[in-house]
Amino acid sequence: MKKHKQLRKQLAWINFVLFGTVLTGCGVLFFVLPKINSSVVENRRLTPFPQFSWHSFFEGHFTDSLDQYVADHFAFREELVSTSFQLAEWRGIPNREVKFYDASQLAKNKPGIITAESALNDTLAAADTATVNENGDIIANMVVHNGMAIQYFGGNATMAARYAQAINKFRAALPASVRIYDVVVPSHYDLYMPDAFRRSSNSEKKNIDVIYSNLLPGIIAVDAWTPMMAHRNEYLFFRTDHHWTGAGAYYAYAATAERAGMQPLALSQMQTRIQNNWLGSLYALTRDERLKEKPDTAICYMVPNSVKTFRYTDENITKPIPASLYFKGGGYGMYLGGDFPLMKVETTNRTGRSVVIIKNSYGNAFSPYFAANFDKVYIIDYRYFNHNLPDFVRENGITDVVFINGSFSANTSWHIMRIEKLLKGAAPAGNADSLPKMDTALLRKDSSFTDTLKRPN
């Protein structure tokens, strides 16, 4: 009995020493090992060390952020997370053809995994009831089938009509001479969801028809669904990401240009930039091996015009910052390089027409094409632009306004409210001076940031 007690005591000490050693070692390594800014395994930016202030301290924000920082930077985190994903993949009886995911739950376990560029599209529920993260991105349920992740569409007629009403408000707020277009585009769901998993009540086409039937006569509804469906055998959507490809965006651009009375530039006239073996947001969310086995090829189609591109912060939309329409690498990030409150593209066209495109991340691949047709292209991300759109349109002599949304965001309250917010803060009638003109004089001074792209031979 005495020996048994001694043995238990020795084991307790061994347990204490081992646990204490591991805990102390991890603590030391946390301070010694270099920190990384982003997780390759999770495809997301890691939490930076929070800035201290007495206000954030007493509000509890500093300690909350500090907890998140420690959780994101403990020793060997990348390896442990990777092992966790692998173990999850081994659960149950694997089906190589199809697997269903509750993406909303996955996203809850990976805060921040969906970046600002994202607008993850839905679900088994109505789009409006899908989870929305701090950037307004929708996250919901989906199926992986034959190496493609497809999210369920959950929009409904009520939300479709609500979205149309929001767009209609701009008809009354903008001069009658300004042309307004509304472009609502389908997702993977209508084009690629197998019939066996499809829900007839959740047709994106029917939902888009409801939106367009509720638009005022003074708003031009652009049918992007028909040309995209006609070209569905082409590479219109990424397999591992919720965005469309440059080719998918092209057909929506071409349909819009035609409704604007312009000749769309042929896809064959574009230059291309290609990135192979790219894994997008839906792979990062699921770590599904079926997706990993069929990585995407991101093809960036570049308008061959000579243009100057600038971006602006929301705090100062009169101070231009040199930017570019296209970037190398980054998959879908090759277009615009991310989401900015406001961008401006100056072209050498002389049509007397300027366009502003009101978009979320879906508009990143769509917007650059308009540099082929308009003198100036303004690109506003309604998620980050906190100024009055009618004032902006008047002050900059804009002739055409294009609203571009995926069907999911068009059926989501958060996105509709953000679009409507563009009407707030309007200057009183007859006083459009609240929003100063962009400093074009300063723009002209800077000639060093020009995207010069030659036409392909």
Side-chain angles (χ1 to χ4, degrees), residues 35-245:
K35 303 296 183 291
I36 58 176
N37 295 324
S38 60
S39 167
V40 175
V41 174
E42 295 179 284
N43 191 24
R44 72 176 178 93
R45 186 184 295 275
L46 299 177
T47 305
F49 191 84
Q51 288 189 334
F52 177 82
S53 71
W54 287 114
H55 177 76
S56 65
F57 179 78
F58 285 114
E59 289 289 327
H61 301 320
F62 177 79
T63 51
D64 289 345
S65 299
L66 193 61
D67 285 345
Q68 189 60 50
Y69 173 79
V70 173
D72 271 2
H73 294 277
F74 60 81
F76 309 116
R77 182 183 182 282
E78 285 283 275
E79 291 78 4
L80 292 171
V81 170
S82 179
T83 302
S84 172
F85 280 130
Q86 188 61 58
L87 292 174
E89 186 67 23
W90 290 344
R91 292 176 189 163
I93 302 174
N95 183 328
R96 295 302 304 164
E97 184 180 357
V98 61
K99 185 170 183 178
F100 292 88
Y101 284 96
D102 184 346
S104 59
Q105 290 300 317
L106 290 175
K108 285 179 182 177
N109 296 329
K110 304 179 183 70
I113 192 170
I114 306 303
T115 63
E117 301 80 22
S118 305
L120 268 186
N121 300 324
D122 176 331
T123 153
L124 294 171
D128 193 46
T129 59
T131 303
V132 177
N133 72 5
E134 65 273 16
N135 295 316
D137 303 324
I138 310 169
I139 33 190
N141 291 350
M142 63 183 170
V143 57
V144 172
H145 180 261
N146 282 341
M148 173 181 278
I150 307 173
Q151 296 168 284
Y152 275 88
F153 176 64
N156 57 61
T158 301
M159 289 305 300
R162 171 85 175 78
Y163 169 81
Q165 291 165 4
I167 302 300
N168 287 341
K169 294 177 182 177
F170 289 90
R171 182 63 285 169
L174 290 168
S177 59
V178 174
R179 304 172 188 85
I180 302 177
Y181 311 82
D182 188 36
V183 191
V184 182
V185 299
S187 69
H188 299 72
Y189 183 81
D190 258 16
L191 274 63
Y192 303 118
M193 180 65 82
D195 290 340
F197 310 135
R198 187 181 295 273
R199 293 182 172 189
S200 59
S201 60
N202 295 116
S203 162
E204 290 179 288
K205 176 65 166 60
K206 292 179 181 177
N207 189 274
I208 294 171
D209 287 344
V210 171
I211 291 174
Y212 287 173
S213 67
N214 280 277
L215 291 176
L216 290 173
I219 296 176
I220 302 169
V222 177
D223 178 15
W225 190 94
T226 299
M228 291 179 69
M229 182 58 75
H231 293 270
R232 67 184 296 274
N233 291 330
E234 299 176 21
Y235 196 12
L236 303 189
F237 283 90
F238 293 114
R239 291 184 292 269
T240 68
D241 193 87
H242 62 287
H243 289 107
W244 54 2
T245 64

Side-chain angles (χ1 to χ4, degrees), residues 380-401:
I380 286 177
D381 193 316
Y382 60 78
R383 297 171 298 176
Y384 311 113
F385 186 82
N386 293 296
H387 302 270
N388 179 263
L389 179 64
D391 285 352
F392 185 86
V393 169
R394 293 188 187 94
E395 286 294 319
N396 290 284
I398 292 168
T399 58
D400 298 72
V401 177

Side-chain angles (χ1 to χ4, degrees), residues 366-384:
F366 171 81
S367 302
Y369 291 123
F370 289 82
N373 300 99
F374 287 86
D375 299 354
K376 294 176 184 175
V377 180
Y378 298 90
I379 305 168
I380 286 177
D381 193 316
Y382 60 78
R383 297 171 298 176
Y384 311 113

Side-chain angles (χ1 to χ4, degrees), residues 256-272:
T256 308
E258 289 172 357
R259 293 303 308 271
M262 295 177 160
Q263 179 65 41
L265 190 68
L267 206 56
S268 59
Q269 292 180 271
M270 312 275 183
Q271 288 188 323
T272 58

